[in-house]
Structure formats: structure tokens, C-alpha cells
Amino acid sequence: MKTRFTLLFLCFGFAASAQKLEVLTVEKIMRDPKWMGVSPDNIRWSDDSKKIYFNWNPDKTERDELFYISPNNIKPQKTTLTQRRDLVPDNGKWNKKRTLKTFEKNGDIYLLEVASGKTKQLTNTTNRESNPTFSGDEGSIIFTNDNNLYALKLNKGELTQLTNFVKTASTEKKPAKDNEQARWLKKQQLELFDIIKVNEKDRKLDSAERSQFKVAKLKEIAFGDKRLSNVQLSPDGRYVTYRLIQPAEGAKSAIVPDYVTSSGYTEDIPNRTKVGSPQSTSESFIFDTRRDSVYSIITKDLPGIKDIPAYFKDYPKELEVLKKLNADRKVDISGPFWSPDSKYAIVNIDAQDNKDRWLMKLDAATGKLTLLDRQHDDAWIGGPGTGGFFANGSLGWADNTHFYFQSEASGYSHLYLADVITGEKKQLTSGKWEVQTLRLSNNKKTFYFTANIEHPGITHFYRIPVTGGAPVKITSMKGGNEIDLSPDEKWLAIRYSYSNKPWELYVQANKPGAKATQVTNSTTEEFKSYPWKEPEVISFKNRNGKDIYARLYQPKNPDPAKPAVVFVHGAGYLQNVHYWWSSYFREYMFNNMLVDNGFTVLDIDYTASSGYGRDIRTGIYRHMGGADLTDQVDGVKLLVEKYGVNPKHVGLYGGSYGGFMTLMALFTQPDVFASGAAIRSVTDWAHYNHGYTSNILNEPFNDEIAYRQSSPIYFADGLKGHLLMLHGMVDQNVNFQDIVRLSQKLIELHKENWELAPYPVEDHGFVQPSSWTDEYKRIFKLFETTLKK
């Protein structure tokens, strides 16, 4: 099961204490997290549904260990080295009856017979075999070796190579053609000498005989300097589909200097490109083995393939140039997804500008496409389950003629079913909530999914019939429920937590109303000795009339200065106002400490946070630091008007996107925020990565307006309050160069009320407890000295 959060970071060295935690200090809460206890993680079932495996560390040893339980015996047991060695990997492919599973392990292919538990090794080579799956008739295992597909017959053991991909096609040296004089001489020889006639006759007979014994060679498919990927065989064995990727030319990558090294010399860490750098392109092809022919999947007729993004209306000259060019937009194809009977195939196509996603019916015999569904967004396509390459099971076949997928067409990510023959689409779920994970049952009659139906900050596990109907809730514990359904679909392994209670493992029968039984109890006595606050989850209307949710922490004894601190969570599409244990557990504890010291704390799920549908998700399009920042300002107004906070004594802090927001707040809203701590912050979006930034701001060279109004470095002259910046020097996500450039800008602007704390050995996510401690001691000092005047 994929899990979102874990208490364990890669840092060790502080032993847990059994003493009571009566007073929170930075030194206490920023220790190695093992002092709190280590939650179970990486939960997964055995293929026979008899055991649940999970990583855990109840004894706070140097490393996590692998444990297991069964639904009928929930006492955790450690696995032995032999048991770990014999474990079947999570990934792999099942046959239709789910009696056999094929998988790759250590570069070889295996077959598991589930009933007996016996595993058979099918290959044992020095090459790496991978991506095994069953053929359509389930008589063979199809796998990849050195870019080529092979079929291994299960009953005979016969191995057949199915493709012949090569870097460069081989060429047979053909004899040079005779000139006119040479042809005349050969003709004369045949005319004059009988021996020449006999030899020529023998040569022709030999050639005819050799041709009868000649073995047909596999067609060579050359891919040259391109990268071959996504090689697949249709279930009926006729079509091979594949993608060729042309690497980007001229894409320059940043370098991150590492100063504290074992060699004593500065060492360079190769890093990423920046937004707007040239991107790789791809084209998808079909090899028809019956006709021995290769041809491309035709994308030129995609509806809207020539559409020009709406933002170009702000650039009239460029718009006219694009209209004249009339060029197709670049796209990437994933799939095809074949129907079980091989009659139909669907491909998922994403525009590289991410403003369109097409589901297209593929005619494999011609490479032509027919529209099944188009999702368009003037901002960018996103939301749970809507990405083709990262769909995580959110699209597939319900039967031979019905294809299911997720879409934000209604404003929230919901489940749809399309008839590939008639083109008719049916929305199966609806409402102001999101389908967040999705799984089709083994018998293909039921959809299982997690969703936030009851409240944006509460997740539960549900089921509906494939034909549609009211969702039936299966889990019942209020908070966060991360579900791993057993392969036989009789049991749930639940990773559950609450606002002030870290994640634990529970087991429950897969029935509505069934009781969930707790398996682990991970938190230490020291952690449990402190009354961790359950933040109040509130909502308010922002200036645009949208409901904005927040966590509110109120002190029992407010400081006379009535100070408040706003915590700003990071981004990457994230939610922090919820009823489960936060991934920002250090900040959660720090917020408890601030409240103990008389501060009111507000933690807002601002515009662009996940869990609230399309309009909130895309509300920062072309203007980061716009609606997301005014949400913070509106939150401060609420604190002042309803909770008695002094408007002159408000600060804020956050990391990554939260650090960026802190900078924008102090630079553009200096009368609202007296001080702020910006951690690992983006200071200029033109220097961040492509995948994340181009979705929201397009590219610097074609939408400079968006970058100028979204980058703090352009607003640094507005700084009035006290600014503390903290940044890891080997940050490979938001490079240290970012904060250095802003520092130089502040120097040139003659600003004095700022400081920079660099951390020489830290990447984007800090690891060393000493760094966390130093960082938050500085932040606490900032708020104590600037907000309690």
C-alpha cells in the first residue's frame, strides 16, 4: 500500500526517554523522531491474504524491521531473514482467476501458484528480465529482456523472441551492379562456353534449395538515438506498441555545490533543469506482426490539437504568430489499454502543456484514433486520478465494452464509465467531494474507493456497484483511513490516525459497520504524557466567496500582546487541514509550543490546496501569491475580529511553498504581517523545476507576466517587517542559489531587517536533529521578540 506519511525520518542518535513531557521546548520536540515512537508503514498483504506485512520499529532500534500478523492473530511477529528473502514482491500480474501470479525479482521471472504457495523460477540469466505479464490466452508469460519482448510457454517451456528492436538496422552488402561492358562480357561467356552454362544452372539450383530452408528473420525495428519505452503486446499477440522518446537538446542542468564532504574538497552535485528548458518529445508506434509492418499512432486529428492556450490573449503579437504557424501541440501517449477480448484499445494522451487529456479509441490496424473523452482546462489538468501516466488504477476496463476513468468535468474528481461502442458516458459518483483512490473488484462488479464525502478533512473507504448507486461506507473511524484491501477482498488493513494521534495499524473485515481492531501501539510514554492539542477545524468565506478551511489553535492563557502566528503548509498539491496526523508533525508540535507560550495559531488550507475540487486547485493559475496569499490575509482578519488577536502582532512561517508565501506576505502585505520565517523558499519561479511550475505559470519566455507577478524577488523592496530566511545549502529541490539571489537583491535595496541562516549539510527536507533544533530556536526567538512588544 502506498502511504502518505511516516514518523520516521533518516536521522538517528537520540534515545527515547521515559520521562514526562511537561513543558515543550524546541530541543525536546526537534529530537530524532524516534523519541515519539515509530508508526507502522509500507503495509501490504501476502498474495494468499493470510498475512499482513509492515515495517515497524517498536524497540527504537537503528533500523525499522519487517513484521507480520494475520487477521486471526494480530500479535506482531518479526520476519526472519529467510522469510524476507522468500517474500513475493507486491508488484506483478495475476491471471484472470487470480490463481497464478508472475513477477520479477532480482532481474529474473517467477511464477507463484497461490493455493500451494509454491514459487517457480522461470528465467535465470545474467541479463535483466522485467515487466512479466500473462498472454491473452494465459498460456505464456510475456516479458522484456534488453528492450525486446519474449514469450515463454508455460506448458512446454518454449521461449520465443517477439520483437527485434535494434539501435541501428543491419545492412547486407549488396554486390555492385554491373556496367554495360560487364554485362556484355558475361553474355559472351555464356554463349561461348558450355562449362559456364553448367555452373550457372547449378548456382540457380543451389539458390532455390537454400531459399526453401531459409528461416524467416524477425523484422528489425531501429530506434537510433531515441529512447525506447512502453513496449507492449496486445492480448491476442498480433500488435506490439511502443514509444520512442527524443531527448531534449540544449537543456542545461543546475549544479549544487556540496561544501561539507569526506574528501575535504567542494564537490558538485548534478541537479535538475529549470522551468522552460527544452523538453523531450515522443511518438508512439504499432508493429503489426501479421502484416510485418510498422506505423505511427496518428495524433494530428485530435480534437483541439491546434488550440492555442487562452493566456496568449495577453500577448497579441505572439498570438498572431502562433495562428500563422498553425502547429500541432506536442503530446505524450500512454497505453494502450486493451479490452480483455483484444477487440478494443484505449490510449491516454496528454498535451505537454497539460491543458488537455484525451482518452481515444485506437484502431490498431490503421493507427487512427476516435474520441472517447476529452478533458480540457484553461489552467491545467489535475486532481486525483486524472493523470494518464500516474493514474494509479483510476482507469481501465470494467468489461469488454466499458471503460472507466476519473475526470474533473463536474468540478470535482469523480468516476465515469464509457461505452466504447456507443460513446455514451455515465457519471457514477457525484458531489462536492473527490474520489481519491480507486480499485475495481476482482469480479469486476464493484468499485472500491477512498473519498472525503463527509468532510474535506475526513477520508473513508466506500464501495459502489459498477453500474452506479449510492456509496456504501465501510470504515467508521473519524480521521484518516489509508486502506490496503486483501487480495481475496475479505479484509482491510487500515493505517489510521487522528489529529493528535499518530498512525497505527488496524484490521477490519470488509463489511460496513465491522469493528476495526487496533494492531500496533507505537507512541512512547513520554509522547503520551503531554496533552497534545486537537486543533479546531473551522471554515470562513474568503473575499471571493469561497469556503476556506483552517486549523485553529487557541491558548488558554493568551499573552497580553495578543500575538498570533499563521503557519503556511507547503505545496505540490497538498492538504493540511484535516482530522488525521499531519505530515508536518514537527510544525504541529511547534504550534502546540507556540500556544503554550500565549500565541494563537492558524493553519490554513489556502487556495491551491488539495481536497477541495478543481476551482480551489487551479485558483493560483498564473498568479502564485495572489488568491493563496489573500486567504492568509482574510484569515488574519478573522483572528482579529473573532478571536481578539492584535493586528500589529501577527507573524507567519512555512517551508518550501510556505516559505515562498512568507516572502510574498512580508513583501506585499507588510502592514498585515510584522515578521516571518521563510524556510527553503522559492524566491523566483523562473528558477524552479519544469514539471510543477509550467503547469501553473506556463513558461517564463512565453508568459513573463505570470512569473513577474508571482516571484518574490520582484517585490523585495516592500519589506518592512522582520524577515528570517533559513535554507539548506545542498537543497536539490529549491536550490540554495535561489536564496542567495534574493539576499543580493536585499543588499542592493539596502534592507537591514533580515537575516539568512544557512545549513551546510541539509537538502530540501532537513535530516539532522541539530539542524531542526537550530532552525526552530531561531524561529521561536523571532516571534518572541517581534510579536510580544
Side-chain angles (χ1 to χ4, degrees), residues 553 567 586-595 601 653:
Y553 302 76
F567 168 62
R586 288 187 176 91
E587 289 76 8
Y588 165 78
M589 292 188 292
F590 184 65
N591 291 340
N592 273 258
M593 179 181 145
L594 288 172
V595 172
V601 178
Y653 79 103

Side-chain angles (χ1 to χ4, degrees), residues 472-483:
V472 176
K473 188 173 74 169
I474 301 173
T475 54
S476 58
M477 296 183 291
K478 179 181 178 180
N481 291 273
E482 297 178 354
I483 307 300

Side-chain angles (χ1 to χ4, degrees), residues 75 86 256 260 348 564:
K75 183 179 179 181
D86 294 340
V256 176
V260 182
N348 183 100

